[in-house]
Amino acid sequence: MSAAIDTVTTVPERRGLARGRWIEDWRPEDPLFWATTGARVARRNLILSILCEHVGFSVWTLWSVMVLFLGPKYHIDPAGKFLLTAVPAGVGSAVRLPYTFAVARFGGRNWTVVSALLLLLPTVPTVLLLKPGVSYSTLLVLAAVTGVGGGNFASSMANINGFYPQRLKGWALGLNAGGGNIGVAAVQLVALAVLLTAGATHPRLVVGVYIPLIVLVALGAALGMDNLRAAANPKRALRDVVRQPHAWVMSLLYIGTFGSFIGFGFAFGQVLQVQFAMKPVNAAELTFLGPLIGSLIRPLGGALADRLGGARVTAANFVAMAASAGLVLLASGQHSKPLFLVGFIALFTFSGIGNGSTYKMIPAIFKAKLPDRAAEAARLSGALIGIAGAVGAFGGVLVNVAFRQSFLTYHTGAAAYLAFIACYAVCFLVTWAVYLRAWRYRLPGV
C-alpha cells in the first residue's frame, strides 16, 4: 500500500508537443499521498511555474517602461504613448482564455515550455527595430505582440490549480500569481538600471536582458515540470460556466482588482511624467514600488480569504481601493507628489490583496453551490478561472484608455480617478449584494 501511494506514475508522451513526463495518478486531497509525494512534486512545479510566469509578466509590461525612453526623436505625444500601453494589455487579455485551455490540451509542462519560448516573438524583433525613426505603426505591432506574455498567467494558474488540494489553493494560487506579478516591478527595475548606466537612448538594452532569461526558464520548465493526465478540459465546461451568473460577477470583480493592478502597472510611469513633468530616470526610480508591493502582498489576499472568507476580504478591499483613489484625486488637485505617491502605492497594495481574495472565491463558490458534486465544482471552477482571468485583464485596457482620455480632454488625470472610485463602489455593492447580504442568500465558505 505504501509503495503504491508513494509512487507518482509517469510515462513518456508521444502524442503531445514533445516527449515529456505525464503523471497518471494524482490525488492531492488524499492526506497520505500529499504528505509522502504530492507536496514535493507540487512545490517543484510551483517554483518553475512562478519563474516562467514572472518572465512572462515582464515581457507583457515591457512597454510600461519602453515609453519612458521614447523622447522627442520618436515624435510621439502622451496620448500615443498611452495607446502603446493599452494595446498589449488588450492582447494579453484576449489570449488568456485559449492559454487556459491549452494546459489540458497539451499538458502543463509542455505548454509552459512553448508559452515561454513564444516570448521571443516580441523581444527579438524589438531589439532589432527599436530606434529613432521607426514608424509608430511598427511600435504598435511590437507592443501588441508582447501581449503573449499576458497569457502565461492564465495557463500557469490553471496548471497549478490542478496540483494543490482545496485547502491550499488560496495560498498556492496567491504565491504563483504574486511571483508572476513581481515581473511588472522587475522590468521597471531593469529599465531604471539601464537609465542610470546607459541613459535614455538605449531602450533595446532593457529588452536584451530578457532574451537569455526566456531561454533559461523554458529550459527549466522542460527539465523539471510535469504534466497532469487528470487535467483534462471537461466537455462543455466553458459553455456551462458562462450560463452561471457567478461567472460574470467574478469577472467584474477581477476587473476591479487585477485590472487595476495591471492597468496602473502599465500607466504609472507615464502618469508621473505627464502630471509632474518628471524626467524618465526620476519616474523610473518610483514606478517599481507600487507593483512590487502589490505583487508581494497578493499571497496575503489568498491567505486572508482562506481564513476569513474571500467575499469579506474582497468587499473590505474595494472600500480601501476607493479611499486610495480618493487620496490620489486629492493629491492631484493639490499637485502634491508625496501624497500622490502614497495614494498610488495604496492602490497597488489593495489591488494585490484583492487579486488573491477574488481568485480564492472562484473554487469556493462552486464548492458551496455543489457540496456533493466535487467533480462538477472543479469542472466549473477551472473554466471560470480562465474566463475571469481574461475578462479581468481587460481592465488594464480600460485604465489606460481612461488616463488617455482624461489627459486629452482635461489635461489632468482627475476624471480617470473619479471613474476608478465609481468602479470600486460598484464592485463593493455587487460583492455585498451577491455574497454578503442576509444570511439566507449566502454561500457558506465563500
Side-chain angles (χ1 to χ4, degrees):
M1 177 178 175
S2 176
I5 291 176
D6 289 355
T7 301
V8 174
T9 305
T10 64
V11 297
E13 173 56 33
R14 301 178 186 275
R15 300 185 302 271
L17 299 176
R19 292 174 61 87
R21 295 177 300 180
W22 285 82
I23 297 177
E24 300 289 342
D25 178 29
W26 188 252
R27 292 168 281 116
E29 300 295 346
D30 181 335
L32 184 57
F33 176 88
W34 181 254
T36 56
T37 300
R40 172 177 50 82
V41 174
R43 188 184 310 114
R44 184 182 71 243
N45 279 271
L46 175 61
I47 292 171
L48 292 169
S49 174
I50 289 173
L51 293 175
C52 291
E53 187 191 343
H54 175 91
V55 175
F57 257 97
S58 291
V59 171
W60 186 24
T61 54
L62 265 174
W63 285 87
S64 70
V65 295
M66 288 296 100
V67 293
L68 299 179
F69 290 86
L70 302 182
K73 292 183 179 180
Y74 289 86
H75 306 291
I76 304 174
D77 62 11
K81 292 181 180 181
F82 277 118
L83 188 58
L84 285 172
T85 53
V87 167
V91 174
S93 171
V95 301
R96 281 188 164 200
L97 198 57
Y99 267 57
T100 297
F101 293 101
V103 168
R105 174 64 180 85
F106 301 111
R109 166 193 173 273
N110 293 348
W111 184 251
T112 300
V113 174
V114 171
S115 62
L117 292 176
L118 285 173
L119 300 174
L120 294 172
L121 291 179
T123 51
V124 172
T126 300
V127 167
L128 296 174
L129 298 174
L130 183 59
K131 56 186 177 180
V134 65
S135 69
Y136 184 68
S137 59
T138 299
L139 294 180
L140 278 177
V141 172
L142 292 174
V145 181
T146 60
V148 297
N152 290 29
F153 170 86
S155 55
S156 179
M157 294 293 275
N159 185 40
I160 294 304
N161 185 58
F163 275 97
Y164 278 84
Q166 180 65 35
R167 71 182 188 280
L168 296 176
K169 285 185 187 295
W171 172 83
L173 292 176
L175 191 62
N176 186 58
N181 290 172
I182 292 176
V184 182
V187 73
Q188 292 168 351
L189 286 171
V190 171
L192 175 60
V194 171
L195 285 167
L196 289 173
T197 57
T201 59
H202 296 84
R204 291 185 290 181
L205 290 177
V206 179
V207 188
V209 167
Y210 281 93
I211 293 176
L213 291 179
I214 290 168
V215 175
L216 286 175
V217 296
L219 182 62
L223 296 176
M225 293 187 72
D226 302 291
N227 303 304
L228 289 182
R229 183 70 70 186
N233 278 328
K235 293 182 179 179
R236 299 181 295 276
L238 180 60
R239 185 199 68 180
D240 291 343
V241 81
V242 296
R243 297 176 178 176
Q244 296 277 342
H246 292 290
W248 304 110
V249 172
M250 293 309 303
S251 295
L252 172 65
L253 300 186
Y254 206 54
I255 286 177
T257 55
F258 180 76
S260 294
F261 173 84
I262 198 64
F264 296 148
F266 272 110
F268 190 30
Q270 294 182 75
V271 172
L272 287 173
Q273 275 195 303
V274 176
Q275 188 143 352
F276 296 100
M278 297 181 68
K279 295 180 179 179
V281 66
N282 299 130
E285 287 173 343
L286 300 171
T287 53
F288 75 92
L289 289 172
L292 178 62
I293 295 171
S295 302
L296 291 174
I297 207 166
R298 178 166 182 158
L300 176 61
L304 287 173
D306 285 337
R307 184 177 180 85
L308 303 175
R312 290 180 180 178
V313 175
T314 299
N317 200 70
F318 280 124
V319 174
M321 291 181 73
S324 301
L327 186 61
V328 172
L329 177 63
L330 176 64
S332 178
Q334 296 181 350
H335 302 286
S336 172
K337 186 165 62 177
L339 192 61
F340 187 87
L341 290 172
V342 170
F344 241 110
I345 289 174
L347 273 173
F348 275 110
T349 300
F350 291 116
S351 67
I353 292 174
N355 288 341
S357 64
T358 50
Y359 243 64
K360 170 60 181 177
M361 289 172 66
I362 292 173
I365 286 168
F366 291 109
K367 182 181 180 182
K369 283 176 62 69
L370 305 166
D372 301 320
R373 300 166 62 189
E376 176 70 359
R379 183 177 79 97
L380 296 175
S381 296
L384 180 50
I385 283 175
I387 293 172
V391 176
F394 188 72
V397 180
L398 300 178
V399 167
N400 281 270
V401 169
F403 276 126
R404 181 178 186 272
Q405 194 59 41
S406 183
F407 281 111
L408 270 176
T409 306
Y410 305 106
H411 306 291
T412 176
Y417 308 136
L418 288 171
F420 302 150
I421 293 170
C423 172
Y424 303 145
V426 168
C427 289
F428 167 79
L429 291 173
V430 169
T431 306
W432 172 83
V434 178
Y435 301 113
L436 292 176
R437 58 181 175 152
W439 66 268
R440 64 181 176 275
Y441 298 112
R442 293 181 189 170
L443 292 173
V446 177

